[in-house]
Amino acid sequence: KAKSGIRNQYAWCVTTSWCQTTESSLMKNTACAAAARVPAWRMEEALMAMDGNPELLVRVARLLLKQLDADLPLIRQYVQARETQLLKDRSHRLKGSLSAVAATPAFAACAALNDLATAVQTQCYPDGLDRLEFEVARLRPYLNQLVSQPEA
């Protein structure tokens, strides 16, 4: 049964009894398959978030790529060490940046990890991190393509 604080349909580790079970693994596989059908990023939504300014979107995408390179290793470290407050703070920061470029699936994964940290569901942190890394891996090619385009 899903915990009410989780804000996405693909959260796969939301109760203590679900973590580290075969059911959790099955849910992960189902969630990944469902998530793969949802586009990792939509350019139109991202442009709307930037008031239609493509140059601004490129600048923000560059900043997000740098932030991902800085934040994901720290988030991994906080998950492994079960550093709840640091994980909550860092995932909250990243969640805002993902929202700024309308990276909805990665935002949802980051929000779910942040919710797990808020609820101190330490045993579920690895599953939340897996989902976040899955979604960021899907997002990166779009961001890389966007920032590699020649400037106008």
Side-chain angles (χ1 to χ4, degrees):
K1 190 171 182 179
K3 183 181 182 309
S4 61
I6 304 299
R7 292 179 289 221
N8 66 76
Q9 60 186 324
Y10 305 120
W12 50 64
C13 182
V14 291
T15 67
T16 304
S17 62
W18 244 18
C19 297
Q20 339 256 308
T21 66
T22 304
E23 185 175 359
S24 179
S25 296
L26 177 60
M27 186 67 171
K28 279 186 200 179
N29 293 338
T30 303
C32 288
R37 289 190 295 267
V38 175
W41 186 68
R42 291 187 174 106
M43 175 74 141
E44 304 80 31
E45 290 176 28
L47 272 172
M48 283 180 16
M50 300 291 145
D51 291 328
N53 185 334
E55 292 83 17
L56 179 59
L57 178 57
V58 169
R59 285 195 303 268
V60 172
R62 280 193 183 103
L63 291 172
L64 178 57
L65 284 166
K66 287 179 184 178
Q67 183 180 358
L68 288 168
D69 290 341
D71 284 356
L72 281 177
L74 290 172
I75 288 172
R76 281 185 209 104
Q77 177 184 332
Y78 300 152
V79 164
Q80 185 175 20
R82 296 182 181 208
E83 291 282 351
T84 296
Q85 188 60 49
L86 294 171
L87 176 60
K88 188 166 67 166
D89 294 345
R90 190 59 59 155
S91 61
H92 182 76
R93 172 184 129 126
L94 181 57
K95 180 176 71 164
S97 299
L98 291 165
S99 173
V101 296
T104 306
F107 167 84
C110 197
L113 182 58
N114 185 258
D115 286 347
L116 291 171
T118 299
V120 194
Q121 294 279 328
T122 57
Q123 71 282 358
C124 298
Y125 292 174
D127 288 335
L129 176 61
D130 286 350
R131 168 106 192 290
L132 177 59
E133 289 183 323
F134 171 80
E135 292 299 349
V136 167
R138 291 189 335 125
L139 174 64
R140 273 188 194 273
Y142 293 96
L143 297 177
N144 286 330
Q145 181 179 5
L146 179 67
V147 302
S148 70
Q149 294 176 1
E151 295 186 28

